[in-house]
Amino acid sequence: MKKHLLGYLFTNNVVRLMLLVQAMCDAIIIIYITNLVELNKYVGIHPTLEIGALITWVVASSWVMATILSFFIFGMSIINKSIFFRQYIFSVVFYFLFFVMMVAVGSLTSQSILQVVELFGLTSLAILTFRIVVFAGYKIYKYIFWKRRVIIIGCNEKGRLLEQSLLNDTSVLNIMLGYFDKAEPTDKYFMFKYAGSLDEVKDFALNNKIDEIYYALPNDPVYIRELSEFADSNFIFLGIIPDIHAQDRKKIHTRYLEDVDLPVISFQYSPLQEQVNSYIKRAFDIVFSAAVLLVLGPVFLIVIGTAIKLTSPGPVFFLQKRPGKSNRVFTCYKFRTMRINDCGELQASKNDARITKVGAFLRRTSLDELPQFYNVLKGDMSIVGPRPNLIQHLSRYKNSMPDYNLRHIVTPGITGFAQVMGYRGETKEDSLMVKRVELDMLYMQNWSLGMDLKIIIQTVFQIFRPGDKAY
């Protein structure tokens, strides 16, 4: 989930350091240029050196803030050329708006517009030049000093996927020097990259100064032990790819039982299965839901409840059984958005005649979900998690979608990663449910409290921009 969620931020210590260096250098460049062209002469009434210095300091601080903010918006990976230039454009726009504001409030007189444009142009050009130099220098440094010479043991699909991953790694230059296997491969993909048999691995690694060896063959304890001793003796990293079938690939968790010297691999791992994380999430749920119910609950209950009662006969709340954690059924609370009907678990569809006018607004803005904060306090739901689907979906998808039941390992949520990514509402096609389950699994495997906060913020924005699937 690196590209989809918090992976945009603070990818590694090198990028974090580059951010700080870049921001400080940007500020130094601005201060130097503004003093070089004597910014104080552009100030309107009673120009003084003190006012010029103050404006210089404000401009420099704004640029640093813009640089940092651009990284948070577009990501931290300065080695990506596209992101690099987007960051620059964003920062220049921010810088331009600052100058417009200075003119608007009279700090810079309208008579000095040309001088302001000159100052803006000079500074922006200097910043761009500096960024390009830093960017190019970083790339050159990486290609000269950050090189890893790699070999893979195993002419098979796992080896192929591993090679693709290594070559796609932009944080370091991986040089693939060849494959090794028990016998010469017949696949053309490996024939031209075949470097020798298993007995030739050690000599090849020493003669070619190999940094990393990856073992992707079926488990051979004797050979792996021998290879491990060789790698340790020669300061070579040895990575062993588990002997797992391709169709079983998903994010796995390895735990080591030290008392019995035994590794344990799990396919169903989620950080929320750890007690400490579950306590943190539960504490956050209680505090957040209690605050919402105390502050907003009475107002929304009166306003929405009154609107529902005045526009259609029936109760204010709609109660429905939903499967929760471990498929335990609970009563889910919502504001009623439909006229009383006997359609049971039939999903709402576009232009559904059952939905009232008030209900349409509530569903579009997700305000009909507010009573579920009571479910959160009870412990049936969480603020963020996989959305609780209908009971009928259990029998429909549990056989056709192997991961469907896994989403019930954790507590369902009022909102979720799938919902903020646009997969909400009706699931006419199975492909929509497949994608929803994939995103739910991604959330479960990468959970963090920061991820929950980001999803909550995105959900709030969706109230104002609900999208075309909100019905």
Side-chain angles (χ1 to χ4, degrees):
M1 203 181 147
K2 191 174 182 178
K3 291 185 178 179
H4 301 290
L5 296 170
L6 300 180
Y8 282 114
L9 308 179
F10 302 109
T11 54
N12 56 56
N13 289 329
V14 174
V15 175
R16 189 177 301 135
L17 177 62
M18 293 296 291
L19 163 66
L20 297 176
V21 172
Q22 181 173 269
M24 289 187 291
C25 290
D26 285 352
I28 293 171
I29 290 173
I30 291 174
I31 292 173
Y32 179 78
I33 291 181
T34 49
N35 281 281
L36 185 66
V37 299
E38 297 178 337
L39 176 63
N40 58 295
K41 72 180 182 181
Y42 300 143
V43 180
I45 303 173
H46 306 299
T48 63
L49 182 62
E50 289 76 15
I51 296 178
L54 176 62
I55 295 177
T56 301
W57 179 82
V58 172
V59 173
S61 301
S62 301
W63 186 266
V64 174
M65 291 174 59
T67 303
I68 296 175
L69 185 59
S70 67
F71 272 104
F72 273 89
I73 292 177
F74 298 120
M76 303 288 289
S77 181
I78 61 173
I79 59 176
N80 184 306
K81 191 180 299 183
S82 173
I83 293 177
F84 169 81
F85 284 107
R86 279 189 292 163
Q87 290 168 348
Y88 173 72
I89 292 172
F90 172 80
S91 297
V92 169
V93 170
F94 186 94
Y95 189 25
F96 172 75
L97 292 176
F98 169 79
F99 269 93
V100 172
M101 180 189 70
M102 295 295 289
V103 173
V105 300
S107 295
L108 297 174
T109 63
S110 57
Q111 290 80 8
S112 61
I113 291 296
L114 291 178
Q115 291 89 341
V116 172
V117 172
E118 176 190 357
L119 176 62
F120 172 75
L122 285 172
T123 309
S124 300
L125 182 61
I127 293 294
L128 177 60
T129 303
F130 169 72
R131 296 279 188 95
I132 291 176
V133 170
V134 171
F135 180 80
Y138 177 81
K139 299 283 280 189
I140 294 171
Y141 178 83
K142 186 188 75 171
Y143 278 95
I144 293 177
F145 298 103
W146 289 6
K147 292 190 290 190
R148 292 189 303 204
R149 303 169 71 85
V150 178
I151 58 174
I152 297 175
I153 301 175
C155 297
N156 51 37
E157 182 63 18
K158 288 188 295 184
R160 190 201 309 262
L161 292 171
L162 175 61
E163 180 188 6
Q164 292 174 1
S165 176
L166 292 172
L167 295 179
N168 290 334
D169 184 1
T170 58
S171 64
V172 66
L173 177 62
N174 289 302
I175 303 175
M176 174 62 184
L177 294 182
Y179 281 90
F180 292 81
D181 210 318
K182 296 178 180 179
E184 291 190 28
T186 57
D187 189 328
K188 290 182 179 180
Y189 181 85
F190 300 106
M191 288 174 62
F192 298 104
K193 303 180 181 182
Y194 182 69
S197 65
L198 300 189
D199 295 333
E200 300 176 81
V201 170
K202 297 178 184 177
D203 289 337
F204 186 92
L206 293 176
N207 294 333
N208 292 275
K209 298 181 180 180
I210 296 300
D211 299 301
E212 297 184 354
I213 300 174
Y214 289 91
Y215 182 88
L217 288 174
N219 188 30
D220 184 345
V222 175
Y223 182 76
I224 290 176
R225 187 179 300 111
E226 179 184 337
L227 190 62
S228 177
E229 292 173 356
F230 165 77
D232 292 343
S233 301
N234 293 278
F235 309 103
I236 299 173
F237 170 82
L238 174 63
I240 300 174
I241 311 302
D243 188 17
I244 299 171
H245 294 295
Q247 63 266 26
D248 293 330
R249 283 199 317 272
K250 58 184 78 171
K251 187 167 183 179
I252 62 175
H253 173 68
T254 303
R255 185 163 54 100
Y256 199 78
L257 305 179
E258 295 183 359
D259 54 337
V260 292
D261 194 29
L262 189 68
V264 178
I265 295 177
S266 171
F267 292 96
Q268 301 178 352
Y269 175 75
S270 168
L272 290 172
Q273 291 175 289
E274 295 184 11
Q275 199 169 40
V276 173
N277 290 334
S278 65
Y279 286 159
I280 292 173
K281 186 172 176 62
R282 181 60 184 149
F284 174 78
D285 284 343
I286 292 174
V287 172
F288 192 94
S289 58
V292 170
L293 290 174
L294 288 173
V295 176
L296 301 177
V299 176
F300 278 109
L301 180 61
I302 295 173
V303 174
I304 295 176
T306 302
I308 292 174
K309 294 296 288 185
L310 291 176
T311 54
S312 66
V316 171
F317 297 104
F318 172 69
L319 281 60
Q320 190 176 49
K321 298 295 183 181
R322 295 286 181 99
K325 184 177 181 180
S326 302
N327 285 347
R328 288 193 295 268
V329 176
F330 70 97
T331 301
C332 182
Y333 296 88
K334 298 178 68 173
F335 281 121
R336 182 173 60 84
T337 59
M338 295 184 177
R339 298 176 180 84
I340 301 299
N341 62 82
D342 299 321
C343 294
E345 291 195 341
L346 181 65
Q347 279 188 306
S349 57
K350 195 169 186 178
N351 301 320
D352 197 318
R354 298 173 296 165
I355 300 176
T356 64
K357 291 183 178 180
V358 171
F361 171 78
L362 295 178
R363 297 177 75 92
R364 189 168 58 252
T365 57
S366 297
L367 292 176
D368 61 321
E369 314 283 1
L370 283 173
Q372 289 171 25
F373 283 103
Y374 176 64
N375 284 116
V376 175
L377 277 183
K378 290 177 60 181
D380 295 327
M381 295 181 67
S382 179
I383 304 296
V384 180
R387 281 291 297 162
N389 292 332
L390 301 174
I391 293 178
Q392 64 176 344
H393 289 157
L394 291 176
S395 58
R396 178 179 174 182
Y397 296 119
K398 68 178 181 180
N399 294 324
S400 59
M401 299 180 192
D403 288 343
Y404 184 81
N405 273 340
L406 292 181
R407 66 194 296 277
H408 294 98
I409 290 176
V410 300
T411 306
I414 296 177
T415 185
F417 183 47
Q419 281 64 45
V420 298
M421 294 300 290
Y423 292 88
R424 58 177 293 190
E426 188 180 14
T427 52
K428 283 184 177 181
E429 303 171 1
D430 286 353
S431 60
L432 295 175
M433 183 60 76
V434 169
K435 190 62 180 178
R436 185 179 293 186
V437 171
E438 287 179 2
L439 293 172
D440 286 338
M441 296 298 296
L442 210 57
Y443 165 79
M444 292 164 53
Q445 294 166 350
N446 296 276
W447 176 87
S448 69
L449 188 59
M451 185 176 181
D452 275 2
L453 291 172
K454 185 173 181 178
I455 291 173
I456 291 172
I457 293 172
Q458 289 176 304
T459 302
V460 173
F461 283 135
Q462 281 190 345
I463 293 177
F464 305 100
R465 298 179 62 184
D468 57 355
K469 295 183 180 179
Y471 50 81

